[in-house]
Amino acid sequence: MTDPQSAGDAVNDIVEQLARAGWPVLEGLLERNGILAQIRRGDLGDMNRSSFGVFFARAEALLLMGRGPSLELAELLDYAIRHVMPTQKADAERFDSWVRAQADLTR
């Protein structure tokens, strides 16, 4: 429908949905622990861990590198190297080296 009442109803519905499910999620994603938790849940909207495992491992590694070297960080980076597409292996190895070097700087 295109009448003013339908337009108003649609706007009100959008505002309600944002208040209930949109803004709280977005606010959480703006904080390191919030985005880390969302990545660990394996859910970034249209992207999920089961289809984008390397992406999720690398994203989590980026968030953890500021805490310094750890077994968890090493496991994420190792996973990303083992599961990357062969055509992206060189880029993955550069990423791996860079993240490990950044983590070493935090010691």
Side-chain angles (χ1 to χ4, degrees):
M1 304 201 128
T2 58
D3 62 277
Q5 180 64 41
S6 295
D9 291 346
V11 168
N12 289 334
D13 182 52
I14 290 169
V15 169
E16 285 179 32
Q17 288 185 50
L18 281 171
R20 184 179 64 253
W23 299 129
V25 171
L26 289 173
E27 287 173 354
L29 295 177
L30 294 175
E31 297 177 5
R32 179 182 304 264
N33 288 334
I35 187 71
L36 182 59
Q38 193 70 24
I39 287 169
R40 286 178 170 164
R41 280 192 290 277
D43 180 15
L44 291 177
D46 289 339
M47 296 178 72
N48 57 60
R49 185 181 302 277
S50 64
S51 299
F52 297 93
V54 170
F55 176 87
F56 275 80
R58 291 174 76 179
E60 189 172 347
L62 280 175
L63 292 167
L64 294 180
M65 76 181 182
R67 298 179 181 174
S70 68
L71 178 59
E72 183 178 19
L73 178 60
E75 288 173 348
L76 290 164
L77 292 169
D78 291 344
Y79 173 90
I81 292 287
R82 283 192 320 273
H83 293 91
V84 72
M85 295 185 314
T87 57
Q88 296 179 357
K89 182 108 178 179
D91 289 336
E93 289 170 342
R94 281 192 293 278
F95 176 84
D96 182 282
S97 295
W98 180 80
V99 169
R100 289 177 194 269
Q102 296 304 305
D104 284 341
L105 291 175
T106 63
R107 288 185 203 210

